Amino acid sequence: MTATAKIALITGANKGIGYQAARLLGAQGAVVLLGTRDPARGEAAAKALREEGADAHAVPLDVTDPAGIAAAARHVDARYGRLDILINNAGINVEWPAGAPSEVTRDALWATLETNVFGLVEVTNALLPLIRRSPAGRIVNVSSEMGLPAWLAGSEMPAMTAYSVSKAAVNMLTVLYANELRGTTVKINACSPGFVATDINRGVGERTAEEGAGIEVRLATLGADGPTGRFLNDGGTVAW
């Protein structure tokens, strides 16, 4: 690690979009910390990135485990003293195939919100003191157009109610955090990686994980004149 290397932590990073985001940031010289629920898979993913030349390390991190989140924050603090980039990439979708909102269950809502919303908040809050120490902290919340009422209004596509509700919450949280961080050097944005073929949709997406990771990395490396409190995809800023 060089003195100027950025320190980046990505949740859900042992596969899919999160892994590719780590790969892209590692290629740019960042120290990449792969937050993963399974330590063995995390270490295997980090080892593969190191073999490509990246400074990559696995960090046990289950976003539904408050004690584990606190331990990960302590580890980053003790080892690096700051965090420059946080990508809240971990997420689940338990509604596949999709169904009507009148069919959604409490269990589906709870499981989805626990990972996609509660976990994001706990991870962000635990690491925010370290991000504030960065000269240019960046937080990226991975979201979806399916959390935008304007995008879904009148749509005939099958509903993924719990998932859409969770991403709408992520979008609102992004605005609220941006308001809190106004006047600081920290920027926070939400993004859509697009319809990527991953485990979350049983591999039926139209884009590759590397293509989807591009927007995460661009927002993670924004310059001082970049936006904050916005929702973006590859086409640019999208109206809430």
Side-chain angles (χ1 to χ4, degrees):
M1 181 182 75
T2 66
T4 58
K6 292 182 178 179
I7 314 300
L9 187 148
I10 305 162
T11 64
N14 67 285
K15 62 181 179 179
I17 300 172
Y19 177 79
Q20 292 300 328
R23 189 165 169 266
L24 292 170
L25 284 169
Q28 294 182 17
V31 176
V32 286
L33 309 178
L34 282 65
T36 62
R37 289 183 299 173
D38 186 319
R41 291 182 178 180
E43 183 50 45
K47 181 175 182 290
L49 292 180
R50 288 196 296 270
E51 289 173 351
E52 294 182 6
D55 190 351
H57 309 272
V59 176
L61 180 54
D62 180 344
V63 302
T64 67
D65 175 16
I69 292 169
R74 290 194 299 270
H75 169 75
V76 176
D77 188 11
R79 178 67 180 83
Y80 304 101
R82 74 176 198 280
L83 185 65
D84 300 296
I85 295 166
L86 169 63
I87 301 182
N88 285 309
N89 171 82
I92 64 169
N93 173 25
V94 301
E95 301 165 286
W96 197 268
S102 58
E103 298 171 347
V104 71
T105 66
R106 178 186 179 88
D107 287 346
L109 279 165
W110 183 265
T112 306
L113 293 171
E114 184 179 32
T115 294
N116 296 3
V117 181
F118 308 155
L120 180 148
V121 170
E122 291 208 65
V123 169
T124 301
N125 289 352
L127 293 169
L128 190 54
L130 300 177
I131 296 169
R132 287 180 180 271
R133 295 179 196 168
S134 170
R138 301 290 181 262
I139 304 171
V140 182
N141 293 333
V142 179
S143 187
S144 168
E145 287 88 353
M146 295 190 72
L148 300 175
W151 191 82
L152 279 179
S155 172
E156 295 183 359
M157 68 181 296
M160 289 188 285
T161 303
Y163 184 78
S164 292
V165 168
S166 75
K167 293 307 183 181
V170 168
N171 294 339
M172 179 58 73
L173 284 164
T174 301
V175 174
L176 295 173
Y177 276 114
N179 289 345
E180 178 182 353
L181 295 165
R182 188 182 297 125
T184 75
T185 59
V186 180
K187 295 182 183 295
I188 179 169
N189 291 286
C191 72
S192 168
F195 190 29
V196 175
T198 65
D199 289 350
I200 206 169
N201 57 28
R202 312 306 190 268
V204 300
E206 300 170 348
R207 310 186 77 202
T208 67
E210 184 173 6
E211 289 171 333
I215 184 67
E216 296 184 21
V217 174
R218 286 194 294 277
L219 294 179
T221 56
L222 280 175
D225 59 346
T228 191
R230 305 288 180 83
F231 179 99
L232 300 99
N233 59 23
D234 281 345
T237 301
V238 178
W240 295 110

